[in-house]
Amino acid sequence: RLAASAVAPGSAAAAQLRALWEFVRRDMSHAFAPPPEENVASGAAVLLLALRGRAVVGLMWAERICEAELVQFGDCGSVGHVTDLGKKGVPASLGVVLVWVRRLDRRRGVAATMLGAARRVAVPLGAAPVPMDEVAFSQPTELGAKFAASCVGRQTVPVYQPRW
């Protein structure tokens, strides 16, 4: 089950989101500050939660963007084996800032389901979802690079620099 988050700054929901963010941050190998509450409230940032019962098993932060750069990941998907393809800008309309899935629920399609939902909620009501070739990823980890490559179906992945 997926839930999209719309949080008013200073609300009880914002406090719950901060607590959830702290839980996710402790589970990740790197730290991210949460998205600004104003961006979530205005729809500039989209937070999706994957739920199993009342438990949060996944979180995705996506935002609207205009452009990305193509990056070639090595055969192993390693971020350490990145080839810059000449800073070639490509159109992109959805940027995936962060994907987190609880360890027990990884490799079960949770991240792909959240990405599909993000592609649908990032457009006006009734519009077609954001095409997969217009989705970019920010600062992917090794697992994130593998996920991104599997989503786009090739080792050349659109990557962008987040606005925050």
Side-chain angles (χ1 to χ4, degrees), residues 15-39:
Q16 290 177 329
L17 178 60
R18 284 190 296 276
L20 173 63
W21 194 268
E22 183 59 24
F23 172 78
V24 169
R25 188 193 61 75
R26 283 191 311 261
D27 190 52
M28 294 189 322
S29 61
H30 55 287
F32 268 95
E37 293 175 3
E38 302 79 34
N39 289 9

Side-chain angles (χ1 to χ4, degrees), residues 39-56:
N39 289 9
V40 177
S42 70
V46 175
L47 285 178
L48 294 169
L49 304 176
L51 306 172
R52 178 161 287 121
R54 293 178 51 106
V56 176

Side-chain angles (χ1 to χ4, degrees), residues 23-30 50 52 56-59 98-112 114 141-144 147:
F23 172 78
V24 169
R25 188 193 61 75
R26 283 191 311 261
D27 190 52
M28 294 189 322
S29 61
H30 55 287
R52 178 161 287 121
V56 176
V57 299
L59 178 142
L98 175 74
V99 178
W100 170 82
V101 176
R102 185 173 68 175
R103 292 185 199 284
L104 294 174
D105 292 284
R106 292 183 184 160
R107 308 216 34 94
R108 295 185 178 177
V110 174
M114 287 190 297
T141 62
E142 190 167 323
L143 285 175
F147 171 69

Side-chain angles (χ1 to χ4, degrees), residues 113-139:
T113 300
M114 287 190 297
L115 181 57
R119 291 174 51 218
R120 288 188 301 277
V121 300
V123 295
L125 190 61
V130 172
M132 196 59 228
D133 62 351
E134 291 184 21
V135 176
F137 299 84
S138 77
Q139 306 171 358

